[in-house]
Amino acid sequence: MNLLVVGSGGREHALVWKLKQSPLVETIYCAPGNAGIGETAELVDIKSSDAHALLEFAQKNDIRLTVVGPEQPLVDGIVDLFREHRLRIFGPTRAAARLEGSKAFAKSFMHRHGIPTAQSGTFTQGQLKELQEFVHRLPAKPVVKVDGLAAGKGVVICDSAKDAIDVCHEIFETKSFGVAGERIVIEEYLEGEEASFFILTDGKSIAPLSAAQDHKRASDGDRGKNTGGMGAYAPAPIITERMRERIIAEIVEPTIEGMRNEGTPYEGCLFVGLMMTQRGPKVLEYNCRFGDPEAQVLLPLIDEDLAMLFAEIAAGSLSTTTIKQRLGPAVCVVMASGGYPGDYEIGKEIHGLELLQESSEVIVFHAGTKREGSKVVTSGGRVLGVTAVGSDGNLKRTISKAYEAVEKISFEGVHYRRDIGKKGLKYFQAKQAVS
Ligand code: AMP
Ligand code: GLY
């Protein structure tokens, strides 16, 4: 069958790379893709936001399955549009994607279904008095979040109630987030380590994948600005088998059951962002898609035919609840443009890619890259995701393998974190100390 993958980042490269391994797959098209994806898939010059053009392309090119990488088209209803035209597509409907598209919806949903999350309130500009009272009553420092999608910029962790009120005033007054900022969620700050938990579901059956950990801050030691994610590793040892069962029972099952009971079944990949607090796992956010860079470590660990799994989900019946996974681990180091996540220059030639022939142990996923004649140049903030895949469960060795590969690649201004995966090592050291 022919497939269409929508998106252009490292996540979409990982999807294309994994889907291509399926014997069911003939041609993969990717809209709009990037230089690395272009090595495996045929690039189509359509933006991921142009659902009607994507639909027309799918109709004309005998596309049997469309896989959507980013959240915006899902939240905008691309799945509903394709289904109206009887085309198979992997991802949640617009109503189900509200779990990510509206934080106010997600919070009230969790409240309705008793799903553990931070205490919160939702307010509009007309409710400033209630907002102020609420912030003063919060037991921890306030976190302010705009309701809608904000490309990772809609969350502010505040030091005091006054700070939070000022931030809310500014959002309401300047309208800098547009409709996304018409409602604000304020919640208590949660202490702990974060983890990303992923499942595949057809709305009824749940097939968990590995848990991963992202590294959101720009600099080592979780310092610096927030980014889209500077690296990831999986499986995350903070999620023990017992914890995994607890997360499924307390969070994942009530979410999938709740969505089904509310008449908006959730189908696709659900990514639950968790804070592992002293009082147990709590939901920080839902995402209606794979994470990026998490997909770059999760997908190489899946030991199944991904195209078949996605096609089953798109047809509404997933045949398994256990997805075979390799031991791994997998570690992905993101190589970013100088200045990212702030301003950065593009068009820098990337050197050294030819030194890394693809192997089962090291894969270079492209994110912001573009082909210019015989050169590959940078075209975005996150440029490459260099992923090493181990087979013996040894995280330390896999981290070294990833960095050995990273050191072969260069471009002007490149920056990357040097401590990806380090937070996972302490669990291995603890285990060794006990045994
Ligand atoms: P979100 O988009 O809701 O996941 O927020 C982005 C990031 O902000 C998260 O990955 C956390 O690092 C941080 N964050 C969000 N909510 C909270 C919270 N209640 N407590 C502590 N950190 C938070
Ligand atoms: N890595 C976080 C995200 O994809 O939202």
Side-chain angles (χ1 to χ4, degrees):
M1 60 180 171
N2 293 341
L3 260 53
L4 172 63
V5 174
V6 177
S8 63
R11 165 182 51 211
E12 287 74 25
H13 193 180
L15 282 165
V16 166
W17 172 86
K18 184 67 195 167
L19 289 165
K20 188 68 185 176
Q21 293 169 7
S22 164
L24 300 173
V25 170
E26 287 163 52
T27 306
I28 304 188
Y29 297 91
C30 184
N34 60 39
I37 295 175
E39 301 281 308
T40 314
E42 292 201 19
L43 301 187
V44 181
D45 191 15
I46 302 176
K47 289 205 183 86
S48 61
S49 54
D50 195 348
H52 284 93
L54 292 167
L55 173 72
E56 201 183 316
F57 178 85
Q59 286 169 326
K60 287 196 176 140
N61 291 277
D62 191 27
I63 300 294
R64 294 298 166 91
L65 177 67
T66 298
V67 177
V68 185
E71 61 276 15
Q72 188 74 57
L74 294 166
V75 169
D76 291 343
I78 190 172
V79 168
D80 310 62
L81 179 71
F82 272 54
R83 288 205 184 148
E84 275 163 32
H85 291 83
R86 305 195 159 280
L87 286 181
R88 290 250 157 97
I89 181 161
F90 173 82
T93 60
R94 180 187 183 136
R98 278 182 304 167
L99 279 183
E100 176 166 3
S102 167
K103 289 193 190 287
F105 171 81
K107 294 301 288 197
S108 67
F109 173 86
M110 286 187 265
H111 186 68
R112 283 198 292 286
H113 296 281
I115 296 166
T117 185
Q119 185 189 326
S120 73
T122 298
F123 306 91
T124 59
Q125 193 165 13
Q127 295 171 304
L128 280 176
K129 192 159 169 283
E130 291 92 326
L131 185 155
Q132 285 177 2
E133 282 168 14
F134 178 83
V135 175
H136 284 291
R137 281 201 319 267
L138 263 186
K141 62 183 182 182
V143 181
V144 172
K145 304 183 173 188
V146 300
D147 175 40
L149 293 184
K153 298 194 171 70
V155 175
V156 187
I157 294 166
C158 304
D159 285 328
S160 65
K162 182 182 174 305
D163 244 20
I165 293 164
D166 289 348
V167 168
C168 294
H169 266 298
E170 193 180 318
I171 294 170
F172 286 140
E173 292 301 322
T174 61
K175 306 200 186 310
S176 46
F177 289 95
V179 229
E182 282 176 3
R183 283 193 294 180
I184 286 178
V185 170
I186 302 181
E187 65 180 30
E188 62 178 320
Y189 182 82
L190 298 175
E191 299 277 357
E193 215 173 293
E194 284 182 56
S196 308
F197 199 83
F198 295 84
I199 60 141
L200 297 181
T201 178
D202 59 3
K204 304 173 284 287
S205 305
I206 294 167
L209 300 172
S210 307
Q213 276 190 306
D214 187 6
H215 298 65
K216 288 220 166 104
R217 303 293 202 91
S219 312
D220 289 6
D222 290 334
R223 285 191 298 269
K225 288 192 191 145
N226 242 333
T227 69
M230 294 298 288
Y233 73 105
I238 187 172
I239 309 294
T240 57
E241 196 47 45
R242 234 172 97 201
M243 183 53 76
R244 186 180 166 85
E245 280 164 18
R246 183 168 173 194
I247 293 166
I248 292 170
E250 290 179 13
I251 294 170
V252 176
E253 283 173 353
T255 302
I256 298 307
E257 210 174 293
M259 290 300 278
R260 197 172 63 239
N261 291 341
E262 292 191 8
T264 52
Y266 187 96
E267 294 146 35
C269 170
L270 179 70
F271 160 4
V272 189
L274 295 168
M275 187 66 93
M276 308 306 294
T277 74
Q278 293 212 317
R279 298 172 64 194
K282 295 195 180 191
V283 178
L284 282 180
E285 62 168 346
Y286 289 111
N287 295 302
C288 62
R289 39 134 187 123
F290 282 98
D292 194 359
E294 289 95 327
Q296 300 176 58
V297 291
L298 288 178
L299 298 177
L301 295 180
I302 295 180
D303 203 4
E304 305 259 9
D305 182 334
L306 195 65
M308 193 166 80
L309 292 173
F310 284 4
E312 285 179 0
I313 289 172
S317 78
L318 179 60
S319 64
T320 179
T321 51
T322 344
I323 294 188
K324 260 190 272 150
Q325 313 211 34
R326 304 201 171 100
L327 179 60
V331 176
C332 170
V333 179
V334 170
M335 301 182 75
S337 294
Y340 172 81
D343 293 340
Y344 54 83
E345 290 178 9
I346 57 171
K348 310 289 182 198
E349 183 175 357
I350 305 172
H351 301 279
L353 289 170
E354 69 290 350
L355 301 174
L356 289 161
Q357 290 309 323
E358 193 189 302
S359 70
S360 57
E361 295 193 341
V362 176
I363 316 148
V364 179
F365 292 120
H366 288 222
T369 70
K370 188 167 87 170
R371 188 161 277 287
E372 256 178 20
S374 61
K375 297 181 194 164
V376 176
V377 301
T378 64
S379 66
R382 290 190 290 176
V383 175
L384 299 168
V386 178
T387 296
V389 187
S391 54
D392 58 0
N394 190 316
L395 182 60
K396 199 167 174 196
R397 232 183 341 252
T398 312
I399 293 173
S400 305
K401 207 155 60 175
Y403 280 104
E404 271 165 37
V406 163
E407 276 153 25
K408 296 196 172 124
I409 302 175
S410 62
F411 53 88
E412 193 189 315
V414 59
H415 85 91
Y416 54 87
R417 277 182 60 161
R418 287 164 205 269
D419 63 348
I420 301 301
K422 198 170 160 194
K423 55 182 137 189
L425 289 176
K426 62 178 179 284
Y427 297 94
F428 292 97
Q429 279 148 6
K431 229 194 258 174
Q432 273 164 4
V434 171
S435 57

